[in-house]
Amino acid sequence: RSYSVTGVQTCALPICSAIIIRTHGIEKEKRKLLEEKSVSVIDATCPYVTKPQQICEDMSLEGYQVIIYGDIDHPEVRGVKSYAGDRASVVLSLEEIKNIKLSPKVALVSQTTKKISGFLEVVAYLVENCSEVRVFNTICNATSQNQDAARELASEADLMIVIGGKNSSNTKQLLTICEELTRAYLVEDESELMPSWFEGVKLCGVSAGASTPDWIIQKIVNKIKNI
């Protein structure tokens, strides 16, 4: 049987053989609760996610106001924020940070899948408005490289097909990057491809989110070739 970690306080954990913590991680208090239960915990949290968790905890203990650049509703960000206690704010844009009362000492981390350009805007604003700023670039290298590759391909393509979950922050970032340069669509499987998209297209580029399985990508590529 499987259980949502969000309901960990009420589920019958003792009958579970194991609970898996997914890549995005979970909140600190929920992890602590799991550790107190007589259940095996398989921690699949990505190392790129545990890094900002630890930074937030350390910086908060040292008296810094923690700023997290990311989506407040994303499970990764909720988990990271929990390690900073009450001294954390989440912002998704330069405009949002302008509405926050800043302390003299600020530490900044990022959701792992965010674009570096937006992160740097927040960095610049903090440097101008705070006497001490600790900046930790916690954007995943693989994500940055994938975004750069998508940007380069989109600049040449007549059409971009982005493959991945429609609720994935990683995939939505890729779509946004591609749409800045050419026509682009986000699909989860080959059934969503529309032949009309490809009319007059000479070069179609394909990009995919970090966790998209290769077999899904191949099925979509094969259907594009058939079209």
Side-chain angles (χ1 to χ4, degrees):
R1 298 179 66 178
S2 62
Y3 298 87
S4 167
V5 173
T6 56
V8 71
Q9 290 179 311
T10 57
C11 75
L13 288 175
I15 70 170
C16 302
S17 60
I19 286 184
I20 301 173
I21 299 176
R22 65 176 179 172
T23 306
H24 295 133
I26 59 174
E27 290 91 327
K28 183 179 179 180
E29 57 273 17
K30 290 176 181 174
R31 176 185 289 275
K32 183 178 179 181
L33 184 61
L34 287 176
E35 291 171 350
E36 293 173 351
K37 300 288 183 177
S38 56
V39 62
S40 175
V41 177
I42 302 170
D43 189 357
T45 306
C46 174
Y48 282 101
V49 174
T50 57
K51 180 180 177 182
Q53 287 177 350
Q54 188 61 56
I55 290 170
C56 284
E57 186 170 51
D58 293 343
M59 290 295 97
S60 180
L61 290 173
E62 292 182 27
Y64 287 83
Q65 178 187 8
V66 175
I67 304 293
I68 302 167
Y69 174 62
D71 182 354
I72 195 169
D73 294 321
H74 195 280
E76 175 193 322
V77 174
R78 291 200 303 268
V80 170
K81 184 176 183 291
S82 70
Y83 282 80
D86 298 328
R87 297 181 59 79
S89 299
V90 180
V91 299
L92 194 56
S93 67
L94 183 60
E95 292 306 312
E96 287 186 11
I97 199 167
K98 290 179 179 179
N99 296 323
I100 294 176
K101 184 178 180 180
L102 296 171
S103 300
K105 294 171 56 177
V106 172
L108 175 69
V109 299
S110 176
Q111 184 178 337
T112 57
T113 54
K114 287 303 176 186
K115 292 192 292 184
I116 191 68
S117 57
F119 182 66
L120 292 176
E121 287 182 351
V122 175
V123 172
Y125 180 83
L126 291 176
V127 170
E128 280 188 31
N129 292 276
C130 302
S131 57
E132 182 181 348
V133 181
R134 297 285 302 275
V135 177
F136 299 89
N137 181 6
T138 53
I139 296 174
C140 172
N141 290 338
T143 297
S144 297
Q145 291 168 2
N146 200 21
Q147 291 175 353
D148 289 342
R151 186 177 293 106
E152 182 178 351
L153 183 55
S155 66
E156 303 174 7
D158 304 305
L159 171 69
M160 285 292 296
I161 300 298
V162 179
I163 308 169
K166 291 186 171 64
N167 293 324
S168 165
S169 174
N170 173 279
T171 308
K172 287 189 288 187
Q173 289 286 353
L174 287 174
L175 179 65
T176 299
I177 289 169
C178 293
E179 287 179 329
E180 292 172 353
L181 297 163
T182 191
R183 189 160 51 94
Y185 297 96
L186 172 60
V187 300
E188 294 185 344
D189 59 60
E190 73 278 9
S191 67
E192 297 182 59
L193 294 171
M194 303 293 292
S196 59
W197 296 349
F198 301 89
E199 294 178 2
V201 171
K202 294 182 179 180
L203 175 61
C204 174
V206 175
S207 182
S211 59
T212 306
D214 288 344
W215 64 270
I216 291 180
I217 298 171
Q218 195 56 55
K219 288 181 73 172
I220 290 174
V221 168
N222 288 341
K223 182 164 183 180
I224 292 172
K225 288 179 178 179
N226 290 335
I227 293 174

